[in-house]
Structure formats: C-alpha cells, structure tokens
Amino acid sequence: MAEARPVPDRAAWRLAALAALALLCVAAFMSIGLRGNLLFVLELRAMRLASLIEVAVAVALATVLFQTVTANRILTPSIMGLDSLYLLCQTVLVFVFGGFGFANLDARLKFGGEIALMVGFSLALFMPMLRSRIDVMLLLLTGVVLGLLFRSLSSLLARMIDPNDFALLQGASFADFNTVRADLVAAGGVVIGVGALLAWRYRHVLDVMGLAPDTAVGLGVSWSRAAAAALLLVASLVAVSTALVGPIYLFGLLVVAIAERIVDTRRHAVLLPAAILVAVVTLVGGQTVFQHVVKGQSALSVVIEFAGGLLFLLMLLNGRRP
Amino acid sequence: MIEIERVSLQLQGAQILHDISLTLPKGGVTALVGPNGAGKSSLLSLIARLSPLQTGSIRIDGMPVDATPGSVLARRIAILRQDNAVASRLRVAELVGFGRFPHSRGRLDAKERALVAEAIARFDLTDLADRYLDTLSGGQRQRALVAMAYCQGTDYLMLDEPLNNLDMRYGRELMGTLRRLADGDGRSILIVLHDINHAAAYADRIVAMRCGRVVAVGTAAEIIDADLLERVFGFRMRVESIGGRRVVLHHR
Ligand SMILES: Nc1ncnc2c1ncn2[C@@H]1O[C@H](COP(=O)(O)OP(=O)(O)OP(=O)(O)O)[C@@H](O)[C@H]1O
Ligand SMILES: [Mg+2]
C-alpha cells in the first residue's frame, strides 16, 4: 500500500528513469530526419505522436485494470471478445453500407456509436453476473466463446461482401501504427483523459481490489459496483484504442509484464504510470526505429504481437506470474 | 451487540443454515465450535456481509448488515476468512497496511504508519515485515493475515480458524492477545475454533453448531460436558477436571 517502506523510493527512481526514456523516445520521434516543409512535417508528427500516446495510455490502463479485477496476469481485455466485437461492427457496417458508404461515414459519429456499442455489450455481458458476485472464470469463458462467435460471424459476412470492399475491411482488421486518424485524436483524447483521471483517483481502491473480492468487501469496497465500473472503463478504453489503430491483442500483456518487472510492485500508484511509460517507449520508440532504421521493412505491430506471443507462451510454460 | 434473527441460508438447493437466532453481547471472546460443515464459516460470512443475506436479519450495534454502506461497516467489523488467497505479490508490511484502508482510504500518514508498526510488532512480524507473502511459511502468513484484521482497529473482530498452521507457542500467544484485546480494549471477538480446549480455556462464551443449527450457547462450564459434546460432535469424549479447569480428552 502507500508509502510504507523505503522500497517505494526504488520504484520512484525507476519510474523517473522510465519517464526520461519515454521523453527521449518522444524527442527522437519528433526530430529525427526532419526535411521539407518544417511546419507541416512537425504538425503531422505531432498528430501521430498524440495518437500513439493515446493508444499507449489506453492499452496500458485497460490491461492493468482488467488484470486487477479478474486477478489474472495472463489474459487481456481482448480475450473478452471486445476486439472481435469491434471487427464485427466494421464488417456489419461495410456489409450494410457497402465499401463506398463505409468510407464516407462520419468518423466521429461512427466512433461514438462504436464506443456506445462496446460499453453496452459489456453491460449486457457483466450485469447479470454482477448482480450477485462476479465469477471471473465464467466471465472469461463467456468472453472467449463470444470472441469466437464474433470472429466467425465477421468472416462469414466477409465472404458475402464484394472483394473490393473486403480489401477495405482487411485494412481495418489489422493494427496499423502508420495511418493517423486525425479525425479521432481529439475525441479519443477526451475519453482516455477521463479514464486516466478516474483510474488515478481510485488507485488505492484498485490496490484493495487486487487482494481478493472478499477481502475488498471486508475492507469496505463495494465489489460488484467497483468491478462493474472498472470493466466499463476497460471497455471504453479498448474501444478507443481499437478505433485509433485497430485490434492489438498482446501488446497490453507485454507492456504490463515488463512494467511489473521493472517496478516490482502491483501498487497502482506506481504500476499505472509505469505501464503507460513502457507502452509509450515501445510504441513511440519502436515506431521511430521502424521509420528511420529498419525503414518500414516490417510493421511494428507484427513485431509487438510476436514478442507478446512469445511472452504469453513463456508465462504459460512457467505457470507463474511475471 | 450482534443480533441474528431467524437467519436461513440456502446454497444450490441445500439448506446450509436453519432459522438461526442468536444474540452476541458486546465485549468478550465468543468461540464458535462444531464439526466440519456445521455452517460456522457460512454464518460468519453472513455477519460480515461477505455473502448476501437471504432471509432474516443481522444487526451490528443496530446497523443492518445488508443495508449499511460497506465502508461504514468496515470501521466496525473486521473478518479473517478461513481460506485466504491473496492475489497480489505483497510484502507483509503492505498487507498489514491494507487493514487501515477503511480509515485512511490508502493514504498512510505518520499516525496510520504507527498503527501498522504496532500491529506488526504485536504479532511478532517485525523481522518479516519486508518479506513477500509468498516466501513465508504457512504459520507466518497466517500471523500476517491476523495482524491485518487486527490492524483494521474495529470493535468487532471475527476470525475463522485463526489457529490454522500456528505452532503451539504462537497459537497460545494469539489466544492470549485476543483475550487482552477483549479485556483491555473492550473489543468483541468472535472466533471459530476446532480445539475445544482452547475454547474452554479462553472463551467467555461458546456457541456450538451442528448441521446448520445452533445447538447450545453458554459458558465453558456449561458447554464442556460429555453429553452435550457428544450431541454436537457425534462421539463420546472424556471430560476431566484438572486444577479446576475442564479438559476434554478427545484423542483416544
Ligand atoms: N458455495 C457453496 N455451495 C454449496 N454448498 C456450500 C457452499 N459453501 C459451503 N457449502 C456447504 O455448506 C455447509 C457449511 O459450510 P461451512 O463452510 O459454513 O462449514 P464450517 O462449519 O465452516 O466447516 P469447517 O469446519 O469445515 O470449516 C457445508 O456442508 C458445505 O458443503
Ligand atoms: Mg469453516
């Protein structure tokens, strides 16, 4: 818990080092290889930086919160079928409006609708379980099954649509850190900012929730209400990050595992910022490297998912927490 | 005062508790005894609002447990459950510090820290304070969990088989500590015990349960009786008086 021992000093020091590294990545991202119309390039980069940072914050927060509520270190929100639901949304939209109509939908309207849909879905999924006490295993099982269902529905629909429209859909089905959704950066920033403020405000409650449901109740936390609130926040964050760059499955797992290793604590006052900083370093730093060193020969998202997959296997094989 | 009125509990079609009414006055040490599956833990969970009340009512100092905000109850009553799996990787001092959460909401100032340190010292955990829980022995971990419940500083302290894993010395020290908390600080202790002799030696009041019903309530002198114990536990044991104290020879 809070400031109990000299140990947090070490965590604070490591947090500062992480912050410095993140700043370095941001500076490199903004400054390396500047050419041409400076103002224009800087503006473009700032926009991309903002969207990368938004994704980093959203994924880090969503994963930490999800792991705390479900007392699980190996699963991430995408296992609940949230990303798959997002994909299904895209497919249904293309199916209904056709490729041209899909491309011409008002982005902000679509964004708002998607967030509402995903939050609504989470409510429908969790509320019956939360009425008594949340059963995490049941929740995860439901998530896995629904995720499968959504994915097979999407591929079924995808088979039925025009091949040209299908290409458009494929673009939406994979994470892509290169395209910037300038139209969504501001709206996403608001959602993520509010989410981050809420998570920070309730960081001590989250610590208590990490103990065990009954222990949290014994300490005066209303478990079902707190868990529902946390999961709704997770759903909104996943919706935002998926809308910005597409589905990323194992990035959260990777980032939180690394952050927990670095600060060696599960206290949210330390772990939340640490996970965010690691995510920023990975995304912004990784994107810089890919743009200027590897020169885009492969995609950052592929490398991240590959590393995340390796870690996932390692964690399963080790059978213990990171 | 804990007032339990006509409480029944059904789980998955099985009747776990049958129409229990019981009043536990404020103060003193109350031991809850009974065979496995008698419903002791279930009753404790209901009192501590860990599981939802189905029928009947339970009031703590007049506050109904199902209608009082959890954060208010957390300053009145602390519970240590029988099986405690702590998910997070925690140090002993951090775990004990969580006991202060209902009062501090997570912000430990000097006063709160002093209380945590006192709890750590009281349960002889000073040398272990910086160790991670998953590196401790079963008994050491049990003491840390008891210290956390104690640290909550509540008028009512409910402990479900806290002697689990404790060696004879720490078991005796824990019972002595609880006795002092009741006598000196006026705290009310409700404790589930399997060792009937511990109950006889330390408790002011013994509640005996069997098959979801309260069979008997009384002082040690009233409960420690060969016939009554046979009714509760289902086998005959010898009851002797040694140095004016009742001792149950249940081993063979
Ligand atoms: N979740 C549950 N679903 C169904 N039955 C349950 C559940 N929890 C407990 N029971 C049953 O309720 C009865 C009472 O259990 P309880 O844990 O209260 O007993 P106890 O007196 O604490 O026993 P012990 O001394 O072994 O700890 C048992 O028969 C048990 O099998
Ligand atoms: Mg029990």
Side-chain angles (χ1 to χ4, degrees), chain A residues 27 30 33 47 64 66 79 87 106 123 147 152 170 174 197 216 219 222 237 245 265 286-287 289 297:
Chain A
M30 290 299 285
M47 197 59 108
V64 171
F66 186 75
I79 206 80
L87 269 187
D106 181 59
L123 269 175
S152 29
Q170 274 211 313
F174 293 99
L197 279 180
L219 292 172
S222 159
L237 290 170
V245 293
T265 176
Q287 196 63 16
V289 169
Q297 288 184 354

Side-chain angles (χ1 to χ4, degrees), chain B:
Chain B
M1 187 160 68
I2 300 180
E3 298 158 280
I4 302 166
E5 262 171 51
R6 314 216 54 178
V7 165
S8 297
L9 179 71
Q10 235 179 4
L11 291 176
Q12 294 167 9
Q15 194 74 29
I16 309 294
L17 297 176
H18 300 263
D19 199 21
I20 290 186
S21 294
L22 180 68
T23 301
L24 300 173
K26 197 159 187 156
V29 175
T30 304
L32 194 52
V33 300
N36 288 150
K40 308 178 293 294
S41 302
S42 307
L43 184 61
L44 239 56
S45 292
L46 288 177
I47 299 174
R49 46 90 176 84
L50 297 187
S51 38
L53 200 55
Q54 294 174 347
T55 47
S57 76
I58 299 179
R59 286 190 300 278
I60 298 174
D61 288 343
M63 297 183 296
V65 291
D66 49 349
T68 309
S71 51
V72 174
L73 280 177
R75 278 175 255 138
R76 286 297 175 94
I77 184 161
I79 182 167
L80 172 71
R81 279 159 28 91
Q82 183 173 354
D83 44 336
N84 285 281
V86 175
S88 307
R89 189 151 182 267
L90 285 177
R91 294 170 199 278
V92 171
E94 290 178 299
L95 179 82
V96 178
F98 274 115
R100 296 308 301 165
F101 180 80
H103 310 273
S104 69
R105 304 306 293 176
R107 284 173 197 83
L108 289 187
D109 56 21
K111 185 176 132 262
E112 296 287 328
R113 264 193 293 244
L115 288 171
V116 175
E118 190 268 333
I120 287 174
R122 187 182 279 257
F123 290 91
D124 199 14
L125 293 163
T126 311
D127 294 339
L128 304 173
D130 283 332
R131 290 266 296 274
Y132 282 108
L133 281 180
D134 49 11
T135 67
L136 299 183
S137 79
Q140 292 168 334
R141 189 157 47 235
Q142 181 73 3
R143 269 157 49 213
L145 288 163
V146 174
M148 171 185 165
Y150 161 79
C151 200
Q152 213 171 319
T154 51
D155 287 346
Y156 295 90
L157 183 55
M158 305 204 295
L159 305 166
D160 198 343
E161 300 189 28
L163 298 182
N164 276 353
N165 295 322
L166 295 192
D167 67 23
M168 280 181 285
R169 185 184 131 223
Y170 279 119
R172 181 189 142 100
E173 275 181 17
L174 175 59
M175 293 310 295
T177 303
L178 296 178
R179 195 61 257 170
R180 280 194 299 281
L181 285 176
D183 294 338
D185 304 1
R187 300 230 216 161
S188 315
I189 318 276
L190 178 57
I191 177 173
V192 177
L193 290 174
H194 274 305
D195 185 342
I196 193 80
N197 288 319
H198 267 123
Y202 291 98
D204 301 303
R205 208 173 300 115
I206 299 178
V207 177
M209 287 183 72
R210 177 184 177 83
C211 296
R213 291 190 169 82
V214 172
V215 181
V217 184
T219 60
E222 289 160 355
I223 302 291
I224 306 302
D225 167 79
D227 290 333
L228 198 152
L229 289 179
E230 184 174 357
R231 263 202 294 139
V232 174
F233 290 97
F235 70 100
R236 193 79 193 167
M237 38 194 132
R238 246 171 82 194
V239 176
E240 293 288 327
S241 212
I242 301 179
R245 280 177 24 201
R246 298 276 188 121
V247 178
V248 181
L249 302 171
H250 52 77
H251 306 93
R252 44 183 285 172

Side-chain angles (χ1 to χ4, degrees), chain A residues 81-148:
Chain A
L82 283 181
D83 296 65
S84 322
L85 178 68
Y86 175 84
L87 269 187
L88 182 61
C89 286
Q90 306 300 309
T91 319
V92 168
L93 284 178
V94 173
F95 188 73
V96 172
F97 295 106
F100 184 72
F102 177 77
N104 282 318
L105 281 176
D106 181 59
R108 250 160 287 181
L109 203 68
K110 186 162 155 282
F111 183 58
E114 276 156 7
I115 292 189
L117 186 76
M118 283 171 81
V119 170
F121 162 75
S122 311
L123 269 175
L125 177 60
F126 306 140
M127 277 309 147
M129 295 185 209
L130 289 173
R131 211 169 292 148
S132 52
R133 175 87 20 110
I134 191 164
D135 181 346
V136 169
M137 284 323 288
L138 186 62
L139 184 77
L140 295 178
L141 209 63
T142 317
V144 172
V145 172
L146 284 179
L148 271 176

